[in-house]
Amino acid sequence: MSPPTSRRPGPQGSSRSRGAGTASRSAKLCLAGLAALTLGSCGMADRLANIGKAPNLSAIDDPTASPGYKPVSLPMPEPEKPIFQANSLWRSGSRGFFKDQRAMRVGDILTVKVVINDSADISNTTARSRQNSEDMGAKSLFGLEGKLVPKGTDPAGMLATTSDSSSTGTGSVKRSEALTTNIGALITQILPNGNMVIEGRQEVRVNFEMRELIVAGVVRPEDVESDNTIDSTKIAQARISYGGRGQITDVQQPRYGQQVMDVLLPF
């Protein structure tokens, strides 16, 4: 009886394994494409559901409860304990003798007068030019110039180089911005030295366009005017955002596919 022979996978088996690997890669690509279409369809469905409707106003919420909210931490002096003098109405460390209605505690509201009037006009011109010339020859090279240099070649002019480069650059910047408006801001935090962290958000809807104004920063109580207002120029670490969303803003923005191609294409 002859011993059993082992079977080896032939070309047919290897082709099956390659086909299985190709099918697996195709399945992964299909799943990735399906996931991308699902994510895109979610945003598309939301946009289709809001056709003909004005943008919804955001709900009024606590800024400190937002996921991205972080308390401000800055270098502060040591807090001073108030010292009360006997038979005196004045308290050391107090900023005022009479109490007023200006915002001074967490939750109080003050009005921020946003006034931005910036302009810049910058022009730069740069010009550069350079010329180089090099000549080299070998009239006598230990008597071997006849053997090293081909016949009919003048050893005096064996090498001559000339270069000429020039560059010119011109740049200009012309910018003009103007914004004047008022917004109510809420005190969200009192720092150890008495400075106040404020944040205000305003939304104005006109027809189908929403205008948003956001102001945040750190202010001193002394800078708050008697009418409970403060200029935006007196806000430290100021963050001012003025923009919008709606039909007009949506038309002005390029399509998502074009934005993706602008990021991915190297040219």
Side-chain angles (χ1 to χ4, degrees):
M1 180 180 295
S2 60
T5 58
S6 60
R7 296 182 179 179
R8 297 180 181 179
Q12 185 176 1
S14 61
S15 62
R16 289 181 179 177
S17 61
R18 287 195 300 268
T22 304
S24 176
R25 288 193 296 268
S26 301
K28 292 180 180 179
L29 292 177
C30 292
L31 290 177
L34 182 60
L37 289 176
T38 303
L39 294 176
S41 61
C42 292
M44 186 181 301
D46 184 67
R47 294 179 60 185
L48 291 176
N50 292 324
I51 290 179
K53 299 180 182 180
N56 296 325
L57 292 173
S58 300
I60 299 175
D61 53 2
D62 184 5
T64 60
S66 301
Y69 176 80
K70 295 182 180 179
V72 178
S73 178
L74 298 174
M76 294 294 158
E78 295 294 333
E80 298 180 2
K81 296 182 179 180
I83 302 176
F84 297 93
Q85 303 293 337
N87 301 326
S88 176
L89 298 177
W90 181 259
R91 178 171 57 89
S92 61
S94 178
R95 289 187 169 95
F97 188 77
F98 298 100
K99 185 177 180 180
D100 54 30
Q101 300 299 320
R102 286 179 288 190
M104 62 182 63
R105 295 176 300 180
V106 175
D108 290 349
I109 299 174
L110 73 159
T111 302
V112 179
K113 296 184 292 186
V114 181
V115 179
I116 300 176
N117 190 5
D118 296 337
S119 61
D121 192 354
I122 304 173
S123 179
N124 295 323
T125 302
T126 303
R128 185 183 65 177
S129 177
R130 181 175 62 181
Q131 294 181 352
N132 297 324
S133 178
E134 298 289 342
D135 295 330
M136 185 180 70
K139 295 183 179 180
S140 59
L141 188 61
F142 302 103
L144 301 176
E145 59 274 6
K147 298 180 179 179
L148 298 177
V149 180
K151 295 182 179 180
T153 302
D154 185 8
M158 293 180 60
L159 179 64
T161 61
T162 302
S163 64
D164 186 1
S165 64
S166 63
S167 63
T168 303
T170 302
S172 63
V173 175
K174 190 173 183 180
R175 178 177 57 86
S176 179
E177 298 175 351
L179 175 63
T180 303
T181 185
N182 295 335
I183 179 176
L186 188 71
I187 298 178
T188 60
Q189 186 181 354
I190 302 294
L191 299 179
N193 66 342
N195 291 343
M196 303 178 295
V197 180
I198 63 172
E199 182 175 350
R201 180 186 297 269
Q202 183 184 83
E203 294 183 357
V204 180
R205 185 177 66 192
V206 180
N207 294 333
F208 294 94
E209 188 71 13
M210 183 78 70
R211 288 299 175 187
E212 297 176 334
L213 176 61
I214 301 174
V215 175
V218 181
V219 301
R220 298 190 309 167
E222 294 86 350
D223 294 332
V224 180
E225 304 292 340
S226 59
D227 58 350
N228 199 34
T229 62
I230 186 172
D231 293 336
S232 59
T233 55
K234 298 180 181 178
I235 301 177
Q237 301 292 324
R239 302 293 185 268
I240 301 176
S241 173
Y242 183 73
R245 52 188 172 89
Q247 292 183 355
I248 298 177
T249 305
D250 184 68
V251 172
Q252 292 177 342
Q253 295 293 328
R255 299 292 86 193
Y256 296 120
Q258 183 178 354
Q259 295 182 22
V260 172
M261 296 304 294
D262 291 340
V263 175
L264 298 179
L265 292 178
F267 49 84

